[in-house]
Amino acid sequence: MEAKHEVLNNWVNEMAKMCNPDRIVWINGSMAEKEKLEKEAFQTGELTLLNQEKLPGCVLHRTAINDVARTENLTFICTSKKEDAGPTNNWMSPEEGYKKAGDIFKNSMSGRTMYVIPFSMGPIGSPFSKIGVELTDSIYVVLNMIIVTRAGDEVLKNLGTNGEFTKCLHSKADLDINRRLILHFPEDNTIWSVGSGYGGNVLLGKKCLALRIASYIGRNEGWMAEHMLILGIEKPSGETNYIAAAFPSACGKTNLAMLVPPEGLKIKGYKILTVGDDIAWMRVKEDGSLWAINPESGFFGVAPGTNMKSNPNAVATIQKNTIFTNVLLKNDGTVWWENGDGPIPEEGIDWMGNPWKPGVIGEDGKPKKGANPNSRFTAPLTQCPSISPYFDDPEGVPITAIIFGGRRTSVAPLVYQSFNWEHGVFVGSIMASEITAAQYGAQGVVRRDPMAMLPFCGYNMADYFSHWFEMGKKMKNAPKIFHVNWFKTDENGKFLWPGYGDNLRVLEWIIDRSNGNIGVVESPIGYLPDKEDLDLTGLDLGNGVIEKLLDVSKVEWEKEIKDIREFYNKFGDKLPVELEKELNNLIKRFAR
Ligand code: GTP
Ligand code: SPV
Ligand code: MN
């Protein structure tokens, strides 16, 4: 269905003129349309049909070998003033951006179809939702977008004749990493992505719209777009506390959002309700409380490490209607990845499309992986056994606690609570984490990643910090703010904390603290748990391990403080004075 929306139709025609596709197809979101697109993709090899008895409705896609993760170095915020992008973003002027990308878009779709995908981030028609329209020459993108967003005719109807929408243009072009650009024009509500076919680079509703553009809009409109999971913890009494947690890419959001209580805590009867695993849009309601929606309708989750023990809910979610990207294809037409279920296959086709056997050594001297470390699954939220009845609620859910966390082998203890909202914003701003396979770059290197938003903030991060303080002032009953670290290691590099389901033990403490039920141990960085207050029933950590997990080392923190100072210096005068004050207070508390 073509739109009855003149601005939209004109824009589609204008973009088509530039990209020169053979035809234009409007995506309606129907089952028949999905099947037709899949069929076409099977014929061209863009998709492989998997074993339909074992994995009904499931398909496999392999991206280009140099196109397996977000390319942050090729991602730009294009504002008229460089300062508005800030020191942590790559910047290009809008003129240069349109020119540079325009040259690559020119005729990029010739011989191809341009698909027009109207989509809604958030339930269609909710006052909190935002509409986008993505133009793309990739069937893979269409099939992903109809899972992770609400897409099709319903959205066009809702858009009417003059509704606002984010203009999202994508072309694979020639998938050349030297001709790849992911550009955001927040002043024009526009996104241009060219030269990639991978996830976050091309599913433009996700990181590009729901985080970078939405964070910009949210600041102007007084709400927040965050890289956060949302989960509910229901007690047997029926009382449910909702938590939002920001961890950097591939640091455990999907896993925490779908948590299954560990044996030792089962008796307490907690039920986990998944609302979202990657993005939260949060607003203050009239009564001064903070409410969150998940703008997405599907998961785009990390495959490696997903198994019946670590994340049974994810395993159940991806048994049907799932798109697998860059995993290993087994001989029986099913899929596998490192630390997946079942025995390691004796052979298969690896993520690059080559024959694979376990233990074969690659060029880097290490055993070749069957699945790419950033291989992913795309599946509808509705297939998750733990999905919350409120995942689709236009109002969202009320947030009791906010958690920040990173992947740190040392420094950050298992959990601590901030003293108050201002201190909590400071705790978020000093987050740091090891770089993972979710982005190009040196793996394992620790970098500062405030609120897990370093790659996703669509404007100057100093202004983003100020926005957090402003939001705090608007709340009567602001959520309590915590920091967690599941990834502390011992001398041999082994994780000290079992993680996964056992993380509920920490969430329980967080909820008790949020509701003011228990005491604390004060430390220079914030409130630590009294170890007696952590329910470790059924868990044998070993001697002295919980002490190590909760340890705050002055020596380590003195180094950390230097690094924070250096990071803060990047922002010059724009750094909010509150953060300067909090850093000085931290230094003073260590000196006491
Ligand atoms: P994005 O989708 O990239 O934003 O990532 P995410 O934050 O949703 O990460 P995800 O839950 O997919 O986890 C990434 C990796 O961390 C997987 O390989 C998990 O197995 C591993 N992981 C998740 N939770 C834990 C944990 O509690 N402990 C340990 N040791 N590893 C974990
Ligand atoms: C992330 O990298 O944080 C993701 C995956 O959630 S992607 O959508 O590719 O950005
Ligand atoms: Mn993410």
Side-chain angles (χ1 to χ4, degrees):
M1 161 170 124
E2 209 180 317
K4 296 190 176 68
H5 190 298
E6 205 182 312
V7 175
L8 170 55
N9 290 339
N10 289 344
W11 171 69
V12 171
N13 289 333
E14 200 189 320
M15 295 303 106
K17 222 185 225 166
M18 172 168 70
C19 301
N20 195 22
D22 284 9
R23 69 194 78 76
I24 300 175
V25 171
W26 290 70
I27 295 300
N28 60 33
S30 73
M31 204 55 194
E33 173 190 72
K34 175 178 170 248
E35 281 164 10
K36 190 163 161 251
L37 290 172
E38 281 178 347
K39 221 182 203 172
E40 191 180 328
F42 296 143
Q43 271 156 14
T44 60
E46 186 174 352
L47 289 183
T48 304
L49 184 66
L50 293 171
N51 184 325
Q52 291 303 292
E53 252 159 57
K54 292 181 175 161
L55 295 170
C58 294
V59 298
L60 167 70
H61 173 74
R62 296 190 193 98
T63 62
I65 287 168
N66 68 359
D67 193 24
V68 297
R70 282 181 294 98
T71 37
E72 293 178 7
N73 56 322
L74 304 175
T75 301
F76 290 78
I77 303 297
C78 305
T79 42
S80 348
K81 282 193 264 159
K82 185 171 182 193
E83 197 192 354
D84 291 344
T88 59
N89 278 314
N90 299 313
W91 175 82
M92 217 186 262
S93 74
E95 298 74 48
E96 190 187 353
Y98 286 126
K99 171 80 182 63
K100 270 202 171 144
D103 286 347
I104 310 173
F105 274 117
K106 186 112 199 90
N107 295 322
S108 61
M109 296 187 188
S110 86
R112 301 180 187 171
T113 303
M114 175 192 265
Y115 299 97
V116 183
I117 319 168
F119 64 92
S120 174
M121 300 313 292
I124 298 172
S126 157
F128 303 148
S129 298
K130 297 282 173 198
I131 288 178
V133 179
E134 176 161 355
L135 312 180
T136 180
D137 55 3
S138 159
I139 291 181
Y140 171 73
V141 167
V142 175
L143 294 174
N144 273 273
M145 284 292 284
I146 61 180
I147 296 176
V148 298
T149 76
R150 290 124 173 129
D153 280 351
E154 279 299 300
V155 179
L156 269 197
K157 267 188 224 144
N158 188 261
L159 197 56
T161 55
N162 61 0
E164 254 187 79
F165 66 97
T166 305
K167 304 192 229 28
C168 309
L169 175 65
H170 165 252
S171 171
K172 297 182 283 192
D174 38 19
L175 294 174
D176 179 351
I177 197 164
N178 297 311
R179 286 166 30 95
R180 181 177 302 164
L181 287 169
I182 324 296
L183 307 181
H184 305 73
F185 305 88
E187 291 156 3
D188 303 339
N189 201 5
T190 295
I191 300 159
W192 278 20
S193 162
V194 70
S196 171
Y198 176 78
N201 282 344
V202 300
L203 310 179
L204 300 184
K206 198 172 167 63
K207 303 296 162 137
C208 300
L209 195 166
L211 286 177
R212 299 196 189 94
I213 295 289
S215 63
Y216 176 93
I217 298 175
R219 180 189 173 219
N220 292 334
E221 294 180 356
W223 52 279
M224 314 165 90
E226 301 295 336
H227 193 200
M228 290 179 177
L229 68 93
I230 309 165
L231 69 77
I233 302 175
E234 189 187 289
K235 293 184 182 164
S237 64
E239 179 197 335
T240 306
N241 285 279
Y242 293 93
I243 288 177
F247 308 154
S249 302
C251 289
K253 289 183 300 300
T254 304
N255 279 270
L256 192 68
M258 297 182 186
L259 179 156
V260 172
E263 272 316 314
L265 285 199
K266 287 234 160 85
I267 188 164
K268 287 184 167 167
Y270 289 116
K271 203 170 146 194
I272 301 300
L273 301 163
T274 308
V275 180
D277 79 324
D278 199 47
I279 301 176
W281 285 0
M282 307 198 288
R283 300 174 185 261
V284 180
K285 273 208 181 165
E286 310 75 54
D287 68 353
S289 55
L290 189 67
W291 286 65
I293 65 162
N294 171 12
E296 302 188 276
S297 58
F299 304 107
F300 183 62
V302 176
T306 306
N307 60 52
M308 273 310 282
K309 197 159 168 278
S310 64
N311 194 345
N313 280 323
V315 172
T317 304
I318 60 180
Q319 294 307 311
K320 57 180 184 188
N321 310 322
T322 299
I323 303 173
F324 293 96
T325 303
N326 293 340
V327 298
L328 179 101
L329 175 63
K330 295 206 297 189
N331 288 347
D332 68 348
T334 63
V335 291
W336 184 82
W337 43 79
E338 277 66 23
N339 293 313
D341 284 317
I344 299 175
E346 280 166 23
E347 55 182 15
I349 307 290
D350 70 11
W351 67 271
M352 290 183 274
N354 299 321
W356 177 90
K357 276 187 192 311
V360 173
I361 304 297
E363 278 163 23
D364 59 358
K366 292 182 199 150
K368 272 197 195 172
K369 302 231 190 245
N372 184 278
N374 191 36
S375 53
R376 301 250 168 187
F377 54 77
T378 316
L381 294 185
T382 49
Q383 291 183 186
C384 181
S386 60
I387 194 69
S388 159
Y390 297 105
F391 83 91
D392 212 17
D393 193 311
E395 293 291 315
V397 294
I399 300 297
T400 306
I402 289 175
I403 308 178
F404 295 121
R407 195 181 270 271
R408 296 301 295 270
T409 54
S410 62
V411 187
L414 178 63
V415 59
Y416 67 101
Q417 183 185 1
S418 64
F419 298 121
N420 50 46
W421 182 268
E422 287 72 29
H423 180 235
V425 175
F426 170 72
V427 168
S429 81
I430 66 167
M431 261 173 72
S433 195
E434 289 169 19
I435 293 177
T436 64
Q439 61 268 9
Y440 275 92
Q443 304 293 293
V445 175
V446 174
R447 69 168 180 185
R448 305 231 80 85
D449 187 351
M451 284 86 169
M453 282 290 278
L454 181 76
F456 307 121
C457 184
Y459 59 103
N460 193 315
M461 195 141 234
D463 294 328
Y464 169 81
F465 295 145
S466 302
H467 185 50
W468 267 82
F469 288 117
E470 288 308 312
M471 291 297 296
K473 285 179 204 148
K474 285 207 250 178
M475 282 179 251
K476 240 194 250 121
N477 223 329
K480 301 290 184 283
I481 301 181
F482 298 80
H483 188 283
V484 300
N485 178 20
W486 315 137
F487 300 95
K488 229 179 170 183
T489 53
D490 66 12
E491 316 72 63
N492 304 317
K494 214 178 135 263
F495 291 125
L496 287 165
W497 180 249
Y500 302 102
D502 286 295
N503 293 334
L504 180 60
R505 302 174 192 276
V506 174
L507 297 187
E508 186 184 35
W509 183 79
I510 286 174
I511 288 170
D512 285 345
R513 278 298 303 161
S514 300
N515 299 328
N517 298 340
I518 45 169
V520 286
V521 175
E522 202 166 330
S523 89
I525 64 168
Y527 298 128
L528 294 168
D530 180 333
K531 62 179 199 252
E532 304 302 321
D533 286 332
L534 285 174
D535 188 342
L536 302 180
T537 309
L539 185 62
D540 186 14
L541 279 179
N543 255 347
V545 170
I546 193 69
E547 287 77 9
K548 271 191 203 162
L549 280 163
L550 296 176
D551 180 51
V552 175
S553 153
K554 189 171 174 177
V555 178
E556 286 173 3
W557 274 89
E558 274 169 355
K559 256 179 55 204
E560 188 75 1
I561 285 165
K562 272 198 199 124
D563 196 60
I564 296 167
R565 170 67 68 199
E566 220 169 275
F567 180 66
Y568 274 5
N569 282 346
K570 284 191 183 187
F571 299 100
D573 308 342
K574 267 186 101 64
L575 187 80
V577 288
E578 294 94 329
L579 290 182
E580 188 64 41
K581 200 183 87 195
E582 290 294 342
L583 180 55
N584 288 330
N585 287 345
L586 177 68
I587 294 168
K588 273 189 226 150
R589 287 193 300 267
F590 268 113
R592 267 212 300 258

